[in-house]
Amino acid sequence: MNADKMKREYDFSKGIRGKFYRPAVTLRLPVYLDEEALAFVQRIARRKKTDVSSVVNELIHSDKRLAEAMK
């Protein structure tokens, strides 16, 4: 919606607080890799016969362990 088409005021008097709140839900946000990084993890995933998400998680966890060891 363009800023010039927005109303000056909105009426939320009939709104319901927390209507869509779900405490037990975990959001899985997308992560966008550049072409080079994606190709890299796809090659590893194919070689390991696994999915890209698993490879990215492994890489992040190994970097995290390395960073912790360097403290």
Side-chain angles (χ1 to χ4, degrees), residues 7-65:
K7 296 179 184 178
R8 232 185 206 332
E9 274 189 43
Y10 288 87
D11 180 12
F12 293 102
S13 63
K14 293 183 179 107
I16 301 168
R17 183 180 293 273
K19 181 177 181 177
F20 298 104
Y21 176 69
R22 303 291 180 264
V25 172
T26 301
L27 295 177
R28 301 243 179 221
L29 301 176
V31 175
Y32 300 98
L33 303 174
D34 64 37
E35 289 180 29
E36 182 182 347
L38 179 59
F40 175 75
V41 293
Q42 284 175 329
R43 282 193 303 272
I44 295 170
R46 277 194 298 273
R47 191 169 59 238
K48 294 178 95 172
K49 294 180 172 60
T50 189
D51 59 294
V52 168
S53 292
S54 296
V55 173
V56 171
N57 278 309
E58 284 180 37
L59 291 168
I60 290 172
H61 286 296
S62 66
D63 280 354
K64 184 179 167 188
R65 286 189 298 274

